Structure formats: C-alpha cells, structure tokens
Amino acid sequence: MNQLKIQDYLFQNISALNGVGLKTKKLLKRKNIEKISDLLWNLPQDFTDRSNLQTLDKLEIGKITTIKVKVLKHYFPRIRNLPNKVSCEDKSGKIDIVFFNSREGYIRKILPINSHVVISGKINYFKKKYQITNPAYVVPAIKEDYVNKIIPRYSLTEGLTEKIYRKIIEQVLKNIADFKEWHSNEILKKIGNASWSESIFQIHESKKTDINSKYYRRLAYDEILANLLVLSQVRQRIKKLKKDRKNFDNNLAKKIIDKFDFQLTKSQVKTIDEINNDLKSDSKMFRLLQGDVGSGKTIVSLVAAVNVISSNNQVALMAPTEILAKQHYNLAKELFKNTGINIDFLASKIDAKEKKNILKKLTSGKTNFIIGTHALIQKNINFKNLGLIIIDEQHKFGVKQRIELSHKGGKNCDILLMSATPIPRTLMLSAYGDMDVSKLVEKPINRKDIITLSKPEEKISEILEFVKKQIDSGNQIFWVCPLIEESKKTNYSAAVEKYKFLSKKFINKVGLIHGNLNKEEKDNVLHKFMNKNFKILVSTTVIEVGIDFPNANIIVIENSNKFGLSQLHQLRGRVGRGINQGTCILLYKKNLSDNAKKRIKILKSSNDGFFIAEEDMKLRGFGDVLGYQQSGIKDFKLADPIHHEDLFYLAEKNIKDIEQNIENFKKFNFILKLFDKADIINQINLEQINQD
C-alpha cells in the first residue's frame, strides 16, 4: 500500500479486517476498539513465554508449555457434558488434549489422525496422565515458529481469545509500511531516530513494554505534539478574534485598591497589568488566572471587573456554588460601596418576579456587574454590552467547551478563568496550552503559613482537648472524614459516626454536611456555620471549594493517608484565611505505607501548592493528581508527563516553528486523526468559516 492508502486503511471500521465478523466486532467494541487504528493503542499488558518447547517426559504441572506431537486417536463420547479427547505422543511419552465445548468436526480438522502438530497450553495432571485442556494454540508442525516464541498478551474481554486477537493485530502490523516521515531529522535525532511504523511494530512485538524505549518515546512524542497542535490552533483562532479595545484609566481601580487593609503582592500587581494589557488590546482575552489557595485571585478579578465597568461594559462573575457566588457578591458590594457601580446577584432561590427584574436591568445595561452560578450563560439571559466573563473554580472545562465559551457575550467579551488548583508545568502544557496563563505565586503579607501536625488516631483524646481550648478561645473547627471508596454508593457513614461522637463531647456545638444532602440543605448548614451557630463542622470533602470562613482556623483530617497531596493541600487551605494562625491536624492509622509517610512529610514541610502539586504527580502519577476527572488531561493513550517531561518541552518548542507555516501544519494531519484530535480542528475551521 502507498502512504495515502495506509492512512485510509487505518481509519476504516474494524469490520474491514479478515476474521472480524459481527460477534468479534461487538467484543472489540467493549474494549473501545472500533477503528483499525484503535488496535494500535491497545498495547500488550504482558508477554507469555511459549518458547518452552519440551518433550513429554519433561513436563511440569501448571506451566505453560509448547509440545510437538503426533496425533494417535480421537475420543468423542456420546454422553452430554463429557469432554472430547485426543490422544497424542512423542518419542518419550503420551498426553491427552482435552476440549470442552468444541465441535467434533473442528477437532478433526485441527488434529487429523497421524498428523504432526505443535500444541501450546498449560500442563495439567489427571488420573495419572498429563493433559492440556482447551489449548491456546494448535498448528501444523511446519508452523512451529508461529507458536514457539514469546507472545504478547493483551487485555481482552471474555469471548475474545489471544489466538483470535493475535491474528487481527498481526494483519494490521503487516499492512503498515514505512511512511514518509513528518518530523525533521533534527527532531527525529532528539527522540531516538525511530520511524513511526518501526515503533508501532516494536511496542507490539517486544518482549516487554518499556515506556522509556526509543520506540515508545517516538509514539508518545507524536501524541504530545498532536495534543499541543490542537491547543495551538485554538489559541491562534482566539487571537484572530478582533474586538473593540476597552478604554479606561485606573483611577477607580486605584480608589478601591486603597481601601484594602493590605498591600497587593508583586504577583498580583504583575497579573493585573497582564489583564489590563489584554483588555486594552484588540485581541480577545482568554486567560487563566492560576493561584494557590489564599493567593488573592478574587481581588485581582474584581480589579479587572472595575476596569471593564469603567470602559462602559458589563461584567459577569460565575462560581460553581451558590454560597461561593454569594461570598463574592458580598465582597464586591463592600469594595464597590459609593462607586456608583450597580451589582446584582442571580441564583436559583431568587423568586420569578425578582429574577425578571434582574434580567430586565441586565438587558437595559442598568446592572454593571452580575454575580451568580453558571446559569448566567444560559441562552435566555441577555446583556446590553457584556465585556468580561469571569469563571471561578472552573475545573472541568475542556478544549471544546472553551472554544464555545470564547463566543459567549459576542465578539467584545473577554474571558478570565480562575483556578485554585496548582498544576504541574507539563500538565499546564497539555491542559491549558490554548490559553494565556497568569500565576499568583505569593501569599498576602499578612497571611501566616498554616502549621501542619500529624497525630496517630490513638491520641484522639489529645486532639479533643486541643479542640476544646480552641472553641473556648472563639475559634471554629472543620473535621473532615473521607468517603469510603469501596462502597458503590455515596458512603458517608464515617462522617455520621464522627458527628454522633463529637456531639456527645460538644453538645449543641456540632454540624454535619455530606454529599447526600441536597443543595439547599448544604447551603443551610454552611450558612449556620458561617454565622457561628455551631463550632465544629463535620464533613466529607464538600468544603474543598474556595469558600472563606475567616473564623475557622483549625482543620482536622481523619485518615489523611486516604487523600492525595494536592487534595490535602486544598483542604488545609480552608483555614487560616483571616489574620489568625491556622492549624491543620492530619490523623492517621497505624501501619502507614511508604507513600503515605512521604505525603505527610511533604505537607508538613511546605505550604507551596505548586511544589506540592509536582511532588503529588511524582507519587501518584499524573492521572489522579487533581483528584477528579480533568478534561483533556487523562485521555493520553501513551504519553506520561512524569516519564516524558522532556518530550513535552521539546514539543512546546517545535510547536512555535510549526505555527509559522500552514504547510508545516498540514504534515501533521495524520497524527491529529490518529490521536482523535481532528474533530476539534474541524470545529475550529468551521467556526473560522462562519466568523469570516
């Protein structure tokens, strides 16, 4: 096949392959294999050594063995449920080959009398005789080389045998010839000088899967590059969106900043300047503001809002929960007092009459600043001149959603996303490479580092004594209990039990919140805690979101070894948000694993979220580093940001060269399709046509 034919072949449905009928097609679909190219990424999980060719006098029970024998006799019992049996021999002895649920005609075909065959399977011993039951391979002796070797073992679904799957994948490997290389010689040299087809063949035929081999790295680089190419196209597409420049001076923003009882950090000043430059440019802003817990992202976003409002545009700020949105609203009302800025709050609890009035003010332009939940971008909500959308804690926004978001509010609307989850640099490249990124790396000067202690559960009496003293001195306490992962349903029994236990110790001073409460119930509990109706809040991890409880300065985390580092750091960040000292107590059970000990040690030694995120990725692997499904991060087939960090940085440099020339970009159409990125590119191109 020539190159174009091979490409067309790889993207056909698997039913185009020999031996893939309706039944096999359904079985392959269970493994998410629908196109021929999908087979390439179902890599061997292990390898079976069938090169153990033995004579019948040297067999070992329980061992996978390959034998070369002569067929002597068939035994086909006429009693139902009894197995069929074939007697075979070599010069040193005899063996029975036993078949359950196999047809007589099939057995006669593969094991004709007096034929010499090669058989491979696990050796058993029954009634003082060796036997192989349902052998994996039975082939004529002339095909010995096909069986007598180390054979890749794939993760397969029930009903799909190694033998069937091997025939399917080998068809594909045979049809892949050398492609015309799309990488320059310079890049090839840096990633190991392995061709694409050679690399595919090697990772399926090697004796072990080595993610640091030159063949694996070659394919991982292609995947990383495909991922960054998409993000590059999205970024370029957004940069082409021209908008009216926002004209404002900084006078109103300066007045508000002067109200603060603290100085802005250097990071905040730098980030505000970056945002202002975006707002004043004729290119649409699409920026991620990333900052550790307590680094002052909200203040930066409100300064940006003031400047946009000063340019006679409206601003919308969205938060993932009603209580967090209300917190932002209350802060903005306080900061913008006596400025003439009209602020409204929109949430599900607001009655229909009031909501209608709010929507009317938005449409007329009377409302300058609207704060609420994600309902703000629903189609029935119209603005007079929306100039900025701010999204707080927008964790699960993938590339496609960000493309759609860039069109909300019309061409003159800038976008600012905020995240309190520090993300390692390699993940930033793969998740947010389509955006400009600002980082807040400092904490406010008046913010103290949180003291982190670790205690075994046996010392609970000491913890209770400490908690009592804190309550007596006016502090509030979070007490976090992890969910029990083994349960299929949301299991909050640990939190309920701890609530009962603490309620006996601190009567009428304990509240409870967990995932089984509805939204209204959760908000009610949080409001009561915020209003100091009780002193201790027992919870699952629902308090992880960036809500401020300035009076809560102690957090106790049970079974701390059950949490990842980043998640522990996020939880720890719920306290010490005022001027008082915050304390985090990590409770743990006996017999901690080495990893759990490392996590606790790292957390006790550092309050730097970016450092902690890097360490967390090294300990747990990149897939779970954020503690939830991060769109666009966990879908790598091959690449690993830990083991292939250098490849991410190489691809980042390579992208800059490719962006200079559209012809360069076209060379990579094959790998975009191969790694399922072509649909996103098509969406970008379609929107470009519609925009033009």
Side-chain angles (χ1 to χ4, degrees):
M1 290 192 214
N2 64 33
Q3 186 158 325
L4 288 175
K5 283 186 178 178
I6 293 172
Q7 290 186 25
D8 291 340
Y9 166 77
L10 284 171
F11 300 123
Q12 288 183 69
N13 190 279
I14 49 168
S15 56
L17 294 171
N18 295 329
V20 180
L22 192 59
K23 181 183 175 183
T24 304
K25 183 180 175 182
K26 286 181 179 177
L27 292 172
L28 287 167
K29 191 171 182 180
R30 288 183 195 169
K31 299 295 295 181
N32 295 318
I33 296 171
E34 297 184 65
K35 305 187 300 292
I36 292 175
S37 60
D38 293 335
L39 290 161
L40 302 178
W41 313 129
N42 185 40
L43 301 183
Q45 301 294 300
D46 204 346
F47 295 84
T48 304
D49 188 353
R50 298 193 183 277
S51 64
N52 180 29
L53 184 66
Q54 294 290 355
T55 54
L56 298 183
D57 60 340
K58 293 180 181 177
L59 300 179
E60 294 180 49
I61 298 168
K63 195 166 186 179
I64 291 174
T65 305
T66 303
I67 58 175
K68 190 189 294 185
V69 292
K70 179 182 178 182
V71 180
L72 294 179
K73 192 172 183 180
H74 297 148
Y75 296 93
F76 299 119
R78 299 310 171 193
I79 301 172
R80 184 178 291 182
N81 295 330
L82 286 179
N84 296 317
K85 194 162 54 175
V86 180
S87 178
C88 300
E89 68 172 5
D90 69 4
K91 290 179 181 179
S92 64
K94 291 186 178 181
I95 190 169
D96 286 339
I97 311 301
V98 180
F99 294 88
F100 286 91
N101 304 317
S102 290
R103 297 188 309 275
E104 182 179 325
Y106 169 74
I107 293 170
R108 289 185 185 278
K109 182 180 177 182
I110 64 168
L111 288 165
I113 300 294
N114 293 324
S115 65
H116 288 83
V117 292
V118 171
I119 301 171
S120 189
K122 186 181 284 188
I123 302 298
N124 299 313
Y125 198 71
F126 183 69
K127 290 186 177 181
K128 297 182 180 180
K129 200 171 185 180
Y130 288 112
Q131 64 180 31
I132 295 177
T133 302
N134 291 338
Y137 288 93
V138 178
V139 299
I142 58 171
K143 292 188 177 180
E144 177 187 336
D145 289 346
Y146 183 72
V147 177
N148 185 18
K149 61 198 278 189
I150 294 173
I151 294 169
R153 187 163 75 237
Y154 295 88
S155 169
L156 302 174
T157 189
E158 188 178 348
L160 191 60
T161 66
E162 176 193 287
K163 188 177 178 181
I164 291 170
Y165 190 82
R166 190 177 165 200
K167 283 183 178 178
I168 294 168
I169 187 66
E170 284 179 351
Q171 275 184 71
V172 180
L173 296 177
K174 283 177 185 176
N175 281 322
I176 296 175
D178 280 330
F179 279 10
K180 182 180 177 183
E181 190 53 65
W182 42 83
H183 294 305
S184 67
N185 290 333
E186 182 187 359
I187 292 293
L188 275 177
K189 188 176 179 181
K190 288 178 180 177
I191 58 176
N193 269 333
S195 72
W196 182 82
S197 53
E198 179 190 14
S199 299
I200 289 286
F201 184 83
Q202 286 293 335
I203 63 170
H204 281 275
E205 293 293 323
S206 293
K207 292 182 181 179
K208 66 174 183 175
T209 300
D210 177 6
I211 68 170
N212 289 314
S213 74
K214 66 178 183 179
Y215 306 111
Y216 196 106
R217 280 171 58 83
R218 157 63 209 253
L219 298 173
Y221 182 76
D222 280 337
E223 181 176 28
I224 294 164
L225 189 67
N227 196 70
L228 298 192
L229 280 168
V230 169
L231 296 172
S232 163
Q233 286 297 294
V234 175
R235 184 172 60 246
Q236 287 191 350
R237 173 73 185 85
I238 290 165
K239 292 298 181 187
K240 285 180 181 177
L241 295 172
K242 296 302 177 185
K243 71 174 198 310
D244 295 338
R245 298 171 188 267
K246 292 179 173 66
N247 297 311
F248 57 87
D249 56 38
N250 292 319
N251 292 335
L252 185 54
K254 283 177 182 175
K255 284 181 183 177
I256 287 171
I257 291 169
D258 288 341
K259 288 184 180 181
F260 300 157
D261 56 0
F262 55 85
Q263 274 191 323
L264 294 179
T265 65
K266 289 179 183 177
S267 287
Q268 286 176 312
V269 172
K270 179 174 180 285
T271 299
I272 289 168
D273 286 343
E274 288 171 344
I275 292 170
N276 285 346
N277 289 336
D278 285 349
L279 296 174
K280 290 179 176 180
S281 79
D282 62 358
S283 293
K284 194 161 183 168
M285 177 174 79
F286 206 51
R287 184 172 289 277
L288 173 69
L289 173 55
Q290 190 189 14
D292 201 355
V293 286
S295 59
K297 294 180 300 300
T298 306
I299 292 296
V300 170
S301 70
L302 292 178
V303 171
V306 168
N307 285 331
V308 171
I309 293 164
S310 296
S311 68
N312 296 318
N313 284 274
Q314 294 168 299
V315 177
L317 190 159
M318 293 178 288
T321 64
E322 198 168 302
I323 191 166
L324 183 56
K326 191 74 174 181
Q327 182 177 286
H328 290 326
Y329 173 72
N330 291 334
L331 177 61
K333 287 283 281 186
E334 180 65 28
L335 288 178
F336 298 170
K337 197 184 293 179
N338 303 322
T339 60
I341 294 174
N342 294 313
I343 310 174
D344 270 322
F345 179 75
L346 189 60
S348 56
K349 286 182 183 176
I350 293 172
D351 63 53
K353 186 177 179 182
E354 189 179 351
K355 184 177 180 180
K356 187 177 179 181
N357 184 42
I358 290 170
L359 297 184
K360 187 177 178 182
K361 286 193 287 180
L362 277 177
T363 306
S364 67
K366 189 175 180 182
T367 294
N368 309 116
F369 194 6
I370 184 81
I371 299 173
T373 59
H374 295 136
L376 288 177
I377 54 171
Q378 289 177 351
K379 289 181 180 178
N380 64 330
I381 296 177
N382 298 306
F383 296 81
K384 182 180 181 182
N385 55 343
L386 183 60
L388 175 65
I389 295 175
I390 303 167
I391 312 279
D392 191 16
E393 298 298 337
Q394 190 46 271
H395 300 308
K396 297 181 181 180
F397 242 44
V399 177
K400 285 185 178 180
Q401 292 93 333
R402 295 204 290 266
I403 296 169
E404 291 162 7
L405 181 61
S406 71
H407 296 292
K408 290 291 181 185
K411 70 172 188 175
N412 291 321
C413 184
D414 290 302
I415 310 291
L416 180 65
L417 302 185
M418 297 197 292
S419 174
T421 308
I423 302 172
R425 174 141 160 67
T426 46
L427 295 191
M428 284 298 298
L429 284 174
S430 59
Y432 296 112
D434 56 323
M435 304 174 66
D436 294 314
V437 179
S438 292
K439 271 188 179 182
L440 297 179
V441 294
E442 301 167 86
K443 299 267 179 74
I445 295 168
N446 64 347
R447 187 70 57 87
K448 297 175 182 176
D449 280 346
I450 298 162
I451 296 170
T452 305
L453 309 170
S454 59
K455 294 282 183 181
E457 284 188 351
E458 293 77 49
K459 295 192 176 180
I460 186 72
S461 58
E462 291 182 19
I463 306 299
L464 293 175
E465 188 62 33
F466 176 75
V467 166
K468 183 179 183 303
K469 287 179 181 176
Q470 292 299 319
I471 289 173
D472 291 343
S473 64
N475 274 327
Q476 288 177 287
I477 292 95
F478 287 118
W479 197 297
V480 181
C481 303
L483 296 174
I484 299 169
E485 294 173 3
E486 288 77 13
S487 174
K488 290 182 180 177
K489 296 180 180 178
T490 301
N491 190 318
Y492 51 89
S493 59
V496 173
E497 289 302 313
K498 189 57 64 179
Y499 167 73
K500 290 176 182 176
F501 172 78
L502 291 171
S503 293
K504 291 175 184 175
K505 304 282 183 183
F506 306 96
I507 297 167
N508 297 326
K509 291 181 179 178
V510 187
L512 173 66
I513 187 169
H514 53 71
N516 209 46
L517 300 179
N518 64 37
K519 190 172 181 298
E520 193 170 330
E521 289 170 327
K522 286 178 190 174
D523 284 350
N524 185 41
V525 173
L526 290 172
H527 278 301
K528 282 184 177 179
F529 188 59
M530 194 174 282
N531 294 329
K532 305 179 187 177
N533 295 116
F534 45 81
K535 298 295 184 180
I536 302 172
L537 178 60
V538 178
S539 78
T540 53
T541 55
V542 290
I543 57 148
E544 201 176 334
V545 191
I547 304 168
D548 272 339
F549 294 89
N551 201 51
N553 293 306
I554 313 297
I555 185 165
V556 179
I557 305 174
E558 288 201 19
N559 283 330
S560 55
N561 50 298
K562 297 282 185 186
F563 296 97
L565 258 177
S566 291
Q567 198 176 21
L568 285 171
H569 179 65
Q570 290 287 313
L571 287 167
R572 178 172 65 176
R574 296 305 104 229
V575 299
R577 298 175 77 88
I579 58 171
N580 295 326
Q581 178 69 61
T583 302
C584 172
I585 301 173
L586 305 173
L587 288 180
Y588 60 87
K589 293 184 183 294
K590 288 181 179 178
N591 304 319
L592 284 180
S593 68
D594 287 341
N595 260 2
K597 288 176 183 175
K598 286 177 185 175
R599 286 201 295 274
I600 289 173
K601 186 178 180 182
I602 291 165
L603 204 70
K604 287 171 71 174
S605 69
S606 177
N607 275 267
D608 182 345
F610 291 96
F611 167 76
I612 286 167
E614 294 283 354
E615 294 301 307
D616 198 17
M617 186 171 74
K618 290 173 188 173
L619 286 174
R620 292 205 293 159
F622 80 94
D624 295 313
V625 74
L626 301 179
Y628 45 73
Q629 176 72 40
Q630 175 73 33
S631 180
I633 286 182
K634 291 183 79 170
D635 61 350
F636 283 120
K637 302 176 193 294
L638 302 170
D640 186 308
I642 301 168
H643 293 281
H644 303 136
E645 184 179 23
D646 62 317
L647 298 181
F648 277 85
Y649 298 145
L650 178 61
E652 183 185 25
K653 290 178 183 176
N654 197 7
I655 286 291
K656 290 172 183 173
D657 296 330
I658 295 167
E659 284 177 339
Q660 305 303 316
N661 189 331
I662 191 62
E663 292 305 314
N664 283 346
F665 186 84
K666 287 178 180 177
K667 287 193 301 184
F668 299 98
N669 284 339
F670 172 63
I671 60 169
L672 287 168
K673 202 168 180 182
L674 197 61
F675 291 106
D676 301 321
K677 304 296 181 187
D679 288 345
I680 301 175
I681 296 294
N682 290 338
Q683 182 184 349
I684 297 166
N685 292 338
L686 182 62
E687 290 186 354
Q688 178 73 59
I689 292 167
N690 293 336
Q691 189 78 16
D692 293 344

